[in-house]
Amino acid sequence: MNDRILIDSVVSTLRDVLGTERSAIALHEPLFQGNEWAYVKECLDSGWVSSVGKYVDRFEAKLAEYTGSPHAIAVVNGTAALHLSLLLAGVETGDEVLAPAMSFVATGNAVAYCGAIPHWVDSSPLTLGLDPEKLADYLEDIAEVSPTGCRNRRTGRRIKAVIAMHTFGHPIDLEPLLALCERFRLELIEDAAESLGSFYKGRHTGTWGRLAALSFNGNKVMTTGGGGAVLTHDPVLAKQAKHLSTTAKAPHRWAFNHDQVAFNYRMPNLNAALGCAQLEQLEGFIAWKRRLAGAYAQAFEGLEGVAFFEEPSFARSNYWLNAILLDPSLSGSRDPLLDATNEQGIMTRPVWTLMHRLPMYKDCPRMDLSVAENLESRLINLPSSAVLGRQDVEA
Ligand SMILES: *Cc1c(COP(=O)(O)O)cnc(C)c1O
């Protein structure tokens, strides 16, 4: 198949699903159609706009209820949530942290903020996330387990933790990863920034590891403008997360006492108000997103050389970002296809440049990354806003 035929058929398939009325179709845009104005106005009217106020508490309680995580601590963004999660899991300067090479840069940055070294891990073609079997074989080779933990025989450094990231909302296979963590004495941190509303075997992502990070950035499944949250089962860690995110200030009516170097990471009340309104609509957003994904799956079924990526069988995915994979033989058409669709006003994107290609992370230790490299060469993200799957908006 040549570029022209492939491009024409992909564009017409996208038009079939997305309709022809809209001249510009974003990759992912937020939707505000609930109590956003009312709650934000109440913040402004009351003067409680900053890091104290009833919406922060309410948002945390609602998040805990929705995810089934006993504790949720709202913070300024997903990167901060990941940073706190790693610190609270005991990641220290000079440690290594296993993390997927195919992820948004924040996953690596949070490790670097701790003074630790990311160790890049390959992906599974079934989930687009970390491959537990391949990682187990690799650790068998390079790691040494003792009562004090896991050591990288090649670098001599401690391997403290592994970060699982649920790519585009699709849960990774968590059970084998949990078994691996136990065997190699690693802490599991979930980067669930993309997977709010995604469940693995009936239980919400971000509740399987010791700690997890959510993100409510403007392009995520729901938004607080900017924001994030730490999830944990552990009441002690939850308390520490709140403490670390509020400059480690000892509660007192008027004294300023702080007992460690900490952060100003608390989510402002204004953002939490937005979050409360968005969370009320989340299941609706996900229903529309899943409907859109179903329409894409059906439309691409008959198209040779292109496969629409579908959720793994053990998952209910939020389908945060839809993706197609070109046949390996057609990877040369990826960039022409990106050009053509964007030119037509249909916003498409390649996956993130893999971490080990970024200048600051190119010298980090890594395993064979051939699956991630192969996926990178032929993956394209498609417009995925919830509104595109709404019944009454359809063409
Ligand atoms: C969005 C995202 C983050 C970070 O979230 P911010 O709120 O933008 O800081 C972290 N990891 C992944 C995989 C993400 O997609």
Side-chain angles (χ1 to χ4, degrees), residues 51-335:
S51 52
V52 181
K54 70 171 189 185
Y55 283 111
V56 177
D57 296 337
R58 190 161 126 195
F59 186 50
E60 290 178 337
K62 293 282 176 196
L63 269 179
E65 184 187 316
Y66 179 80
T67 58
S69 173
H71 306 279
I73 299 91
V75 295
V76 286
N77 56 53
T79 312
L82 203 51
H83 182 198
L84 290 180
S85 296
L86 290 164
L87 289 173
L88 291 171
V91 172
E92 293 176 356
T93 303
D95 283 341
E96 291 182 13
V97 175
L98 299 159
M102 197 170 94
S103 186
F104 179 55
V105 69
T107 313
N109 286 346
V111 175
Y113 297 167
C114 300
I117 296 109
H119 188 147
W120 305 124
V121 172
D122 204 11
S123 307
S124 154
L126 295 176
T127 63
L128 305 177
L130 178 156
D131 182 336
E133 277 80 31
K134 188 165 175 178
L135 180 58
D137 288 347
Y138 174 66
L139 289 177
E140 192 79 54
D141 250 20
I142 68 140
E144 204 170 81
V145 187
S146 76
T148 57
C150 185
R151 208 175 60 88
N152 182 339
R153 246 190 250 120
R154 294 179 182 169
T155 62
R157 291 188 288 245
R158 177 170 78 153
I159 306 177
K160 180 65 185 172
V162 51
I163 303 178
M165 196 280 279
H166 307 293
T167 311
F168 309 144
H170 302 299
I172 71 149
D173 199 357
L174 282 156
E175 275 173 353
L177 184 62
L178 282 165
L180 176 154
C181 286
E182 194 154 319
R183 184 168 148 219
F184 290 96
R185 296 175 155 267
L186 300 168
E187 296 286 359
L188 175 60
I189 309 297
E190 291 178 79
D191 180 345
E194 305 181 355
S195 66
L196 178 64
S198 297
F199 293 76
Y200 173 78
K201 299 190 175 174
R203 195 166 117 197
H204 200 280
T205 52
T207 65
W208 292 80
R210 196 152 157 76
L211 296 133
L214 300 176
S215 167
F216 314 111
N217 192 35
N219 62 345
K220 294 299 198 309
V221 65
M222 60 154 266
T223 187
T224 58
V230 175
L231 301 182
T232 182
H233 291 275
D234 186 328
V236 175
L237 291 180
K239 214 169 159 197
Q240 287 174 346
K242 195 165 257 188
H243 194 57
L244 266 185
S245 68
T246 49
T247 64
K249 184 177 179 296
H252 191 281
R253 264 193 311 155
W254 41 259
F256 284 94
N257 280 311
H258 309 261
D259 55 19
Q260 69 184 108
V261 177
F263 306 93
N264 178 15
Y265 277 176
R266 280 298 270 170
M267 177 183 280
N269 201 43
L270 204 52
N271 301 75
L274 203 52
C276 287
Q278 288 268 289
L279 201 49
E280 291 167 359
Q281 302 161 78
L282 179 62
E283 275 301 306
F285 293 165
I286 292 173
W288 293 332
K289 289 171 71 63
R290 291 183 59 82
R291 193 164 167 274
L292 175 65
Y296 275 135
Q298 202 169 16
F300 279 104
E301 210 160 77
L303 217 166
E304 209 187 315
V306 182
F308 179 74
F309 188 84
E310 294 188 73
E311 65 192 353
S313 58
F314 46 65
R316 185 198 83 156
S317 173
N318 65 9
Y319 278 95
W320 171 56
L321 273 193
N322 293 297
I324 51 172
L325 284 160
L326 305 179
D327 267 3
S329 64
L330 297 172
S331 63
S333 301
R334 187 196 75 167
D335 291 357

